[in-house]
Amino acid sequence: MIEIKENEIKDISLKIKTIVIDSEEIEPDAEEVVSLLQRVFDGETVSEQEIDDVFGEESKTEIELCTVAEMYLNKEGNIEIDYIENEDDEQLKTNSKIIFSPSEPGLVIMSKDGAMNAVLSFEEGKQHICTYDTPFMPIKVYVDAKVVDNRLMTDGELRLNYTLNLNDNEPQHFSVEVKIKEEPQDLLKELLS
């Protein structure tokens, strides 16, 4: 269990694994696609081979980020986890946050500020209308969370399964796993092993 006191900032190691499935090439009423997505959204472990077999290698993108982050209690009493994405590239560098209330862990906010600006809300079984701010104009996005399993304070893990619709485009399906450890040195050990 992770405990945070007021005015305390903890340095933690953070690992985020994201799988994005682009449904543009997918037959929308294909029975095996619906079945596989339902299994993923229900929290079942689905192998990467199963995903590749159903969707094809081209429709899936996997992104993994391992970094050091800061975790603290903000003025409103919410937990914030701050980290930087694309730190080595000034044009793509993004300050990111995961925010939630310890009393309501089922509502998770992810904000990004930098190359892309967005605030996305995740709440299981609910759709949230959010906005991506681009240099050209804001884009309305619909976030439909199927699974929000937030055990960051107890087990150091967060799992999100959701679809994201940009305007009238085909939805993208996301599976996100976040793992944190209180000792940043653990991240270095994990990277070296």
Side-chain angles (χ1 to χ4, degrees), residues 60-71:
K60 182 187 87 169
T61 305
E62 190 171 316
I63 304 160
E64 194 167 296
L65 170 70
C66 293
T67 189
V68 174
E70 290 184 343
M71 184 175 192

Side-chain angles (χ1 to χ4, degrees), residues 84-94 113-116:
I84 297 175
E85 296 180 54
N86 302 310
E87 193 168 3
D88 297 334
D89 187 335
E90 281 303 316
Q91 289 186 337
L92 297 176
K93 186 175 177 179
T94 304
D113 183 26
M116 162 184 64

Side-chain angles (χ1 to χ4, degrees), residues 8-186:
E8 176 183 24
I9 296 176
K10 287 192 179 207
D11 289 331
I12 59 170
S13 59
L14 176 70
K15 181 178 181 182
I16 301 176
K17 181 178 179 181
T18 305
I19 296 175
V20 183
I21 299 170
D22 191 357
S23 54
E24 196 168 294
E25 305 297 320
I26 298 171
E27 187 70 35
D29 58 2
E31 194 173 305
E32 61 185 344
V33 170
V34 172
S35 172
L36 181 69
L37 287 176
Q38 189 60 52
R39 287 175 53 210
V40 169
F41 291 151
D42 288 344
E44 275 187 52
T45 301
V46 176
S47 74
E48 291 185 34
Q49 187 59 51
E50 286 179 280
I51 293 171
D52 291 346
D53 289 347
V54 172
F55 294 107
E57 203 56 50
E58 315 79 49
S59 64
K60 182 187 87 169
T61 305
E62 190 171 316
I63 304 160
E64 194 167 296
L65 170 70
C66 293
T67 189
V68 174
E70 290 184 343
M71 184 175 192
Y72 58 92
L73 200 59
N74 69 18
K75 293 182 277 190
E76 293 81 29
N78 295 320
I79 300 294
E80 282 195 29
I81 300 172
D82 293 356
Y83 59 100
I84 297 175
E85 296 180 54
N86 302 310
E87 193 168 3
D88 297 334
D89 187 335
E90 281 303 316
Q91 289 186 337
L92 297 176
K93 186 175 177 179
T94 304
N95 296 315
S96 300
K97 294 182 183 188
I98 299 171
I99 307 165
F100 63 93
S101 168
S103 62
E104 290 184 64
L107 173 61
V108 176
I109 309 291
M110 285 190 169
S111 74
K112 298 187 179 295
D113 183 26
M116 162 184 64
N117 299 313
V119 177
L120 303 178
S121 301
F122 305 94
E123 194 171 7
E124 193 166 310
K126 294 188 179 179
Q127 184 181 72
H128 287 268
I129 301 171
C130 305
T131 305
Y132 270 107
D133 287 325
T134 70
F136 310 106
M137 64 185 210
I139 299 173
K140 188 186 298 185
V141 294
Y142 299 88
V143 178
D144 201 357
K146 308 298 184 194
V147 174
V148 177
D149 182 13
N150 183 355
R151 293 176 283 114
L152 285 170
M153 299 307 290
T154 55
D155 301 328
E157 295 184 14
L158 167 66
R159 197 167 45 83
L160 302 171
N161 288 315
Y162 62 96
T163 57
L164 191 115
N165 289 325
L166 295 161
N167 296 329
D168 293 327
N169 295 330
E170 290 292 324
Q172 287 185 310
H173 305 274
F174 289 78
S175 177
V176 178
E177 290 180 5
V178 178
K179 294 183 180 182
I180 62 172
K181 294 186 180 177
E182 286 191 72
E183 293 79 28
Q185 306 87 292
D186 291 344

